Amino acid sequence: PLIRTMASPASVSQSDQGTNKRERPSSSVNGDGTFSLLELAQMRHKRRALKEVGLEVNEKRPGESASFQKHAKESFHLLSLPGAAPQTSGSFSFAQGLWSAAAPPPELAVAMNFLVDLPYFDALCAPWRLARRKVVVAPAGDRARVAPYANAQENLTWFHPEMPDAFGCHHAKCLMLFSKTGMRLVVHTANYCKCDCQEKVQGAFVQDFPRRQSNSNSSVEDTFRDTLVSYVRELDKVISPVGRVGAFGGNGLAAVGSETWMGFQNLAELLAHHDFTGARADLTASVPGRHTGPNFARWGSKAIARLLRRYGNGRSGSSAGASSSSCSDPWANEARIVAQCSSLGSIPETLLHEIEADLRGGGGGGGGRGFSLVWPRVSEVAQCREGWNGGNSIPGKQNNVVRNHLTTRMCQFWDVAVAAPKPAVPHIKTYCRVSSDGKRLAWAWLTSANLSGAALGKAEKKNTQVFIRHFEMGVLFTAERCAAYASLVAAGDLRSSFQADVAAPRTLGGGGGGGGAKSE
């Protein structure tokens, strides 16, 4: 199965000390023919390598939608970790391949995060370093320490979020690279520091989006764009520049002037002029505040419930072709919700049930009937490539972790448990709904949000208000989104083949293998 039940932390620390002696599977396929989530991204790169030498590989599992399999793999990646076991390392890297070396550098780069080691990230990420203008949105901590770095580069501005709640933080992680024709968006789970980018399991969603055509139909629903623009507008309310404040005056993203935003007044306006209707996933976010009315289901786990209801909770054809047996149906009532995060705060059982209900589409309490929590064992941390230091990024106090309603649901990924010689500690956050036999996913959610009310929201006032403390960002993969993208590919639509770092202008063509676009 994708997951394996583990004992309580107390017994784990006793039984798993020393070398892990369990036999490793003979191939990347588990004994029952299923694949783990960590292997999802690796399949795409293996398939590409085989095609380059004229071979093909068929990794489709029985009953799985071809479009969901193909297009989810092509936009979900693991970060490449030098020298890491293959089970915990992918091929995406901030250091290389993020932007074509033959293309002009980005006109604008916007980095949003929780932790930013600016000298390190400047050295690591060439498109960021070479961008004509750069904007950081991240907590500055000690402003006196950060200001010299912010002032040292004339083309850089650092914005610090002043959180409205003392226990809130800006925890979203994304990188936006803008060219004259579009943008590349990376939504991921890594802080911009060495231990995160080179030592831990991290996930990333990457996709390019074109500028909106002047004659495009503005009435077409673009929920991805609406969420991103709304998120930036909410963020704009609480940020102020770090250093050189007098040079810009005022607060917010408009403080640096329209020249920073490629002629637009602020980042939200620039984003609104891009076309996200070809997105391979739905964008999700959390913003601080007490949200009511139409905003109740806009943020946090309530947004996941809204999206799942929109797609019919699997009853509108997304599980077509599934076996008649409910054990192979990821939308069946007994299908489990699997949550994997890197931090555990104080989670009362009532909140756990509320989050599970949201991840089941709402409309009825989860009741904990099928919720699994993936959490590292003591021995996994002790034996990881960073040693005990790896535990610094997976905080969980004993009185928060060792609680009966959590320990009875704890599991581990099988392939990580047997990885050799030194697995990387997971800092990735994923949530999914898995069929009872472990062979099919209803959906998968990659996000910066850990399992907490601060990140996902907690209902108040008889479920008419939701309270959120953090800024978070993620992407939800569904069969419906992947099928919509597959139809764009089949139609030769420019949105399915657009590349933001192509140096030559791209124009709408007459279809064909170029995906409806050609270089001139």
Side-chain angles (χ1 to χ4, degrees):
L2 293 174
I3 55 175
R4 181 175 181 270
T5 302
M6 63 184 277
S8 66
S11 62
V12 167
S13 61
Q14 299 296 321
S15 61
D16 266 23
Q17 296 296 331
T19 304
N20 193 324
K21 298 181 180 180
R22 280 174 290 201
E23 182 179 354
R24 185 178 180 179
S26 59
S27 70
S28 63
V29 185
N30 295 324
D32 62 352
T34 66
F35 293 84
S36 75
L37 293 177
L38 291 177
E39 291 168 312
L40 190 66
Q42 297 170 19
M43 297 175 185
R44 169 186 175 236
H45 304 290
K46 181 173 71 173
R47 185 172 63 251
R48 175 185 292 174
L50 290 171
K51 285 185 176 180
E52 287 176 354
V53 295
L55 299 176
E56 296 286 341
V57 59
N58 180 13
E59 291 153 342
K60 185 174 184 297
R61 276 95 78 193
E64 183 182 25
S65 163
S67 62
F68 182 78
Q69 172 194 315
K70 178 179 187 295
H71 297 296
K73 288 175 186 174
E74 291 182 352
S75 51
F76 174 87
H77 306 264
L78 295 180
L79 263 65
S80 175
L81 304 179
Q87 291 92 337
T88 57
S89 179
S91 61
F92 172 80
S93 173
F94 289 108
Q96 57 186 3
L98 183 57
W99 196 262
S100 172
E107 296 288 322
L108 168 66
V110 179
M112 298 184 180
N113 217 310
F114 175 64
L115 292 174
V116 177
D117 181 340
L118 192 54
Y120 168 78
F121 197 60
D122 275 341
L124 175 72
C125 185
W128 164 261
R129 182 175 66 252
L130 300 174
R132 291 187 172 90
R133 287 198 176 262
K134 299 184 285 187
V135 173
V136 174
V137 179
D142 184 353
R143 288 191 179 224
R145 181 181 63 82
V146 172
Y149 293 108
N151 291 338
Q153 302 179 45
E154 289 294 327
N155 66 337
L156 181 141
T157 306
W158 187 310
F159 287 97
H160 168 76
E162 297 282 358
M163 300 303 299
D165 186 273
F167 296 99
C169 67
H170 181 273
H171 196 247
K173 298 159 173 53
C174 76
L175 180 65
M176 306 176 190
L177 302 174
F178 293 88
S179 68
K180 293 180 178 179
T181 58
M183 67 173 292
R184 178 161 297 164
L185 176 64
V186 185
V187 179
H188 59 90
T189 62
N191 290 295
Y192 295 140
C193 55
K194 182 178 180 180
C195 63
D196 265 35
C197 292
Q198 295 183 221
E199 300 293 346
K200 293 179 175 64
V201 178
Q202 306 283 5
F205 165 86
V206 186
Q207 190 172 348
D208 291 2
F209 300 99
R211 286 281 189 99
R212 279 171 50 190
Q213 301 292 324
S214 58
N215 60 350
S216 63
N217 185 357
S218 59
S219 64
V220 174
E221 186 178 27
D222 192 342
T223 56
F224 193 108
R225 183 185 66 211
D226 293 344
T227 299
L228 185 56
V229 170
S230 296
Y231 175 88
V232 169
R233 286 176 176 161
E234 292 295 323
L235 182 61
D236 198 20
K237 297 176 182 178
V238 301
I239 61 175
S240 60
V242 177
R244 292 185 295 175
V245 177
F248 302 118
N251 294 332
L253 294 172
V256 294
S258 62
E259 69 278 4
T260 291
W261 310 113
M262 303 175 66
F264 295 95
Q265 291 302 309
N266 51 54
L267 179 58
E269 186 178 333
L270 172 59
L271 291 168
H273 281 78
H274 285 76
D275 186 349
F276 297 92
T277 54
R280 298 183 179 190
D282 283 288
L283 187 71
T284 66
S286 295
V287 300
R290 285 182 161 88
H291 307 289
T292 60
N295 291 326
F296 176 83
R298 175 172 287 186
W299 311 113
S301 61
K302 306 300 180 188
I304 299 296
R306 172 179 53 83
L307 289 168
L308 294 177
R309 288 195 299 269
R310 176 184 179 183
Y311 295 135
N313 269 326
R315 302 309 170 195
S316 58
S318 62
S319 46
S323 167
S324 58
S325 171
S326 62
C327 69
S328 63
D329 181 4
W331 293 102
N333 289 335
E334 59 267 29
R336 301 189 70 79
I337 301 296
V338 181
Q340 183 269 313
C341 58
S342 62
S343 174
L344 279 180
S346 178
I347 308 172
E349 190 167 11
T350 53
L351 178 59
L352 191 66
H353 292 172
E354 178 184 338
I355 293 173
E356 182 189 349
D358 289 340
L359 298 184
R360 291 185 179 276
R369 64 178 181 269
F371 190 97
S372 296
L373 173 62
V374 178
W375 187 252
R377 290 171 176 258
V378 172
S379 60
E380 289 177 41
V381 178
Q383 298 169 23
C384 78
R385 55 193 279 135
E386 298 175 86
W388 290 114
N389 286 333
N392 292 333
S393 295
I394 45 174
K397 295 182 179 180
Q398 184 175 13
N399 59 349
N400 289 336
V401 175
V402 186
R403 305 179 71 176
N404 186 64
H405 65 277
L406 295 179
T407 56
T408 55
R409 294 176 170 87
M410 284 187 173
C411 305
Q412 68 182 59
F413 282 120
W414 174 256
D415 58 348
V416 176
V418 298
K422 288 184 176 294
V425 166
H427 189 256
I428 190 173
K429 292 91 172 162
T430 57
Y431 302 78
C432 61
R433 183 167 179 164
V434 188
S435 60
S436 297
D437 61 7
K439 294 182 178 180
R440 302 184 71 230
L441 294 176
W443 48 263
W445 184 27
L446 174 71
T447 177
S448 63
N450 284 300
L451 186 65
S452 71
L456 300 178
K458 180 180 179 182
E460 299 175 334
K461 294 186 176 181
K462 297 182 179 180
N463 209 38
T464 61
Q465 173 178 287
V466 61
F467 179 37
I468 299 176
R469 300 178 189 268
H470 293 179
F471 284 102
E472 307 280 1
M473 188 176 292
V475 286
L476 177 69
F477 296 95
T478 61
E480 287 79 6
R481 269 290 190 178
C482 292
Y485 183 84
S487 67
L488 296 181
V489 174
D493 194 295
L494 172 66
R495 291 170 291 177
S496 67
S497 60
F498 174 78
Q499 292 177 264
D501 59 350
V502 171
R506 298 172 65 84
T507 60
L508 288 172
K518 61 182 180 180
S519 297
E520 296 178 341

